[in-house]
Amino acid sequence: MEDADLVRLCQSGDMAAFEQLFHRYQDRVYSTAYRMMNDQEDAQDLTQEIFLKAYQNISKFNFRAAFSTWLYRLAVNLCIDELRKRKRSANTMPLEEAILKADANTPEDHAISGDRERQVWDAINSLKEKERAIIILRDMEGLSYKEIAEALKCSVGRVKSRLHEARQKLKTILETETELWAEL
Amino acid sequence: MRCSNFRKDLSAFLDDELDSRKRKQMELHISECAECRREAEKLQEMIGIIGAMERPEIPAQLWEGTRRRIEAVSELPTAKAPVLRMPRWVFAPAAAVVFALLLYLLGGQLFFHKYETGRIPIAVYVQEHALSYSEQVLPSNPLSELAIAQTEPVTEETLSDQGTSELDVLVEVHYGIYPTNGS
């Protein structure tokens, strides 16, 4: 069944239809949340929250964009909101708690193998939230510029310039702080 | 093509998001400029590393946790009737029509009633009154009776010249100043 048909069933209160949509998109939503938050537990918590918000707001879905881009928009917005909230509360977090949280992301937590990938991963995590989001949507999730524009509610031209800036920043980080291209 | 312009569109070029004309310009420049070619290779490699990263494994019970959160929330999505979205420009004239209708219905009682009452000619009122109370037979057409009583033809103009109105005729006939046909 097409997404639009499942959404219409959800809008009439069909929970089974929503479960189908969940299983269809859980990997995309979870991987987006994981890559934004850089933490397994946070990604699990936020994925559930994202789908809860989708369920609560499904009646507002107007079929102008694809359901997938609508879901990506929810995912990105919730992740950015959570990251900003944590930035604000980090200033008041007790020192012991901050140290524990920083140590929680051990290398085993990452689905990353190899030094090159780790260097690139760490560089992505050092980007600002919006820069990280656009890299994830394009280079990891494979969305087109048009789909990204719908998800981020901006023009295709804006996507083009923001993606270019994010990639250039990433490349600069990798050139100055790593030896990624030293042998080349 | 300048190197600065090439690098500005490099991401879109590698993502195949340029139109064919622009794409050909980029391909021509990359074939001619070694430095820009090197930049393109670095960026392509970086994008490739990012794209090759495996998706994380989905935790078990992710749906169960989501379902519990949904059930814990009191509101359930209900089928809503599609909202009729009217363009804003419709509201002002629609409001004006409603206001005018209300004004007519409510104001008519205040303003038009008197006007309706005022439309009833006083002559008709007097005639009706006279018919009710007169002991004599009154003519149905006072002007024609006046014509019988007078030698000159009587019109509304002659009446107005004399300062006489139809009401005056009715009153005089009522009080028997002019004889009726019956007498």
Side-chain angles (χ1 to χ4, degrees):
Chain A
M1 200 180 282
E2 297 284 332
D3 283 355
D5 298 324
L6 286 172
V7 171
R8 283 192 194 93
L9 287 171
C10 290
Q11 288 176 334
S12 57
D14 190 335
M15 186 68 157
F18 187 78
E19 187 178 351
Q20 277 194 60
L21 283 171
F22 176 90
H23 288 295
R24 193 174 285 185
Y25 289 105
Q26 63 170 338
D27 58 342
R28 286 181 239 192
V29 173
Y30 180 76
S31 67
T32 300
Y34 179 84
R35 285 152 174 174
M36 284 294 292
M37 305 306 293
N38 192 26
D39 181 87
Q40 227 171 19
E41 203 174 302
D42 287 341
Q44 187 169 349
D45 179 54
L46 269 167
T47 299
Q48 293 176 9
E49 198 59 31
I50 289 159
F51 277 104
L52 172 63
K53 286 275 183 249
Y55 188 76
Q56 287 177 311
N57 292 285
I58 198 92
S59 57
K60 296 177 190 171
F61 182 73
N62 55 20
F63 301 92
R64 279 186 206 151
F67 177 75
S68 58
T69 53
W70 184 72
L71 204 54
Y72 272 118
R73 188 190 309 158
L74 275 177
V76 167
N77 286 343
L78 277 169
C79 289
I80 288 177
D81 286 347
E82 183 61 28
L83 286 168
R84 287 177 176 170
K85 201 191 308 177
R86 289 181 186 192
K87 259 189 192 173
R88 288 193 294 270
S89 68
N91 295 332
T92 58
M93 189 186 289
L95 181 61
E96 295 81 10
E97 193 178 337
I99 292 170
L100 281 170
K101 197 165 180 59
D103 288 343
N105 288 329
T106 61
E108 289 75 25
D109 288 341
H110 300 281
I112 305 294
S113 59
D115 290 337
R116 289 161 64 107
E117 289 79 9
R118 191 175 311 286
Q119 285 172 341
V120 173
W121 178 255
D122 290 341
I124 291 171
N125 284 317
S126 69
L127 294 174
K128 290 180 185 174
E129 299 91 5
K130 285 193 176 179
E131 293 167 338
R132 199 184 315 167
I134 202 163
I135 293 279
I136 289 169
L137 289 177
R138 172 62 204 172
D139 296 332
M140 293 180 172
E141 297 297 315
L143 268 66
S144 67
Y145 283 23
K146 185 169 177 288
E147 288 170 328
I148 296 171
E150 285 173 0
L152 300 182
K153 278 203 161 184
C154 62
S155 66
V156 170
R158 190 88 180 98
V159 169
K160 185 178 155 190
S161 58
R162 280 166 71 177
L163 180 62
H164 177 70
E165 285 162 15
R167 281 173 172 171
Q168 286 301 317
K169 193 170 174 180
L170 198 59
K171 193 165 81 65
T172 303
I173 293 169
L174 289 167
E175 281 174 337
T176 54
E177 295 182 12
T178 70
E179 295 179 342
L180 187 64
W181 292 296
E183 69 276 12
L184 298 173
Chain B
M1 177 180 264
R2 285 184 183 179
C3 292
S4 57
N5 289 341
F6 174 84
R7 294 187 189 187
K8 190 166 62 74
D9 287 331
L10 182 53
S11 277
F13 172 68
L14 294 174
D15 292 335
D16 199 19
E17 290 274 354
L18 294 176
D19 60 52
S20 58
R21 186 185 65 84
K22 199 72 181 259
R23 183 166 189 80
K24 280 178 185 166
Q25 288 175 347
M26 297 288 282
E27 285 169 351
L28 182 62
H29 182 84
I30 211 172
S31 68
E32 294 170 347
C33 179
E35 199 174 327
C36 286
R37 188 165 55 245
R38 176 80 189 102
E39 279 299 306
E41 287 169 358
K42 278 184 182 178
L43 196 61
Q44 183 73 76
E45 186 186 357
M46 186 185 81
I47 294 169
I49 293 172
I50 298 171
M53 289 182 182
E54 288 179 7
R55 279 184 190 271
E57 197 177 312
I58 304 291
Q61 309 297 321
L62 195 57
W63 165 246
E64 283 306 312
T66 304
R67 189 180 55 78
R68 276 197 296 273
R69 288 193 193 208
I70 291 172
E71 287 172 354
V73 173
S74 56
E75 289 177 15
L76 292 174
T78 54
K80 290 186 181 179
V83 175
L84 179 64
R85 295 185 184 276
M86 284 169 45
R88 289 187 180 180
W89 62 265
V90 173
F91 288 123
V97 166
V98 170
F99 179 74
L101 197 62
L102 283 171
L103 197 63
Y104 175 76
L105 292 172
L106 298 173
Q109 299 301 317
L110 296 172
F111 296 109
F112 296 140
H113 179 68
K114 283 186 182 175
Y115 188 59
E116 285 292 332
T117 304
R119 280 203 194 134
I120 299 173
I122 190 100
V124 173
Y125 173 76
V126 171
Q127 183 175 12
E128 290 297 316
H129 178 80
L131 285 171
S132 300
Y133 293 99
S134 175
E135 293 177 357
Q136 298 182 3
V137 177
L138 294 174
S140 58
N141 189 349
L143 288 178
S144 63
E145 294 304 318
L146 187 61
I148 291 169
Q150 293 186 353
T151 55
E152 291 181 3
V154 176
T155 61
E156 284 186 1
E157 284 77 18
T158 55
L159 275 178
S160 65
D161 288 342
Q162 292 169 15
T164 308
S165 67
E166 189 177 342
L167 175 59
D168 293 332
V169 171
L170 282 168
V171 171
E172 287 167 347
V173 166
H174 172 66
Y175 287 103
I177 296 172
Y178 292 106
T180 60
N181 281 341
S183 64

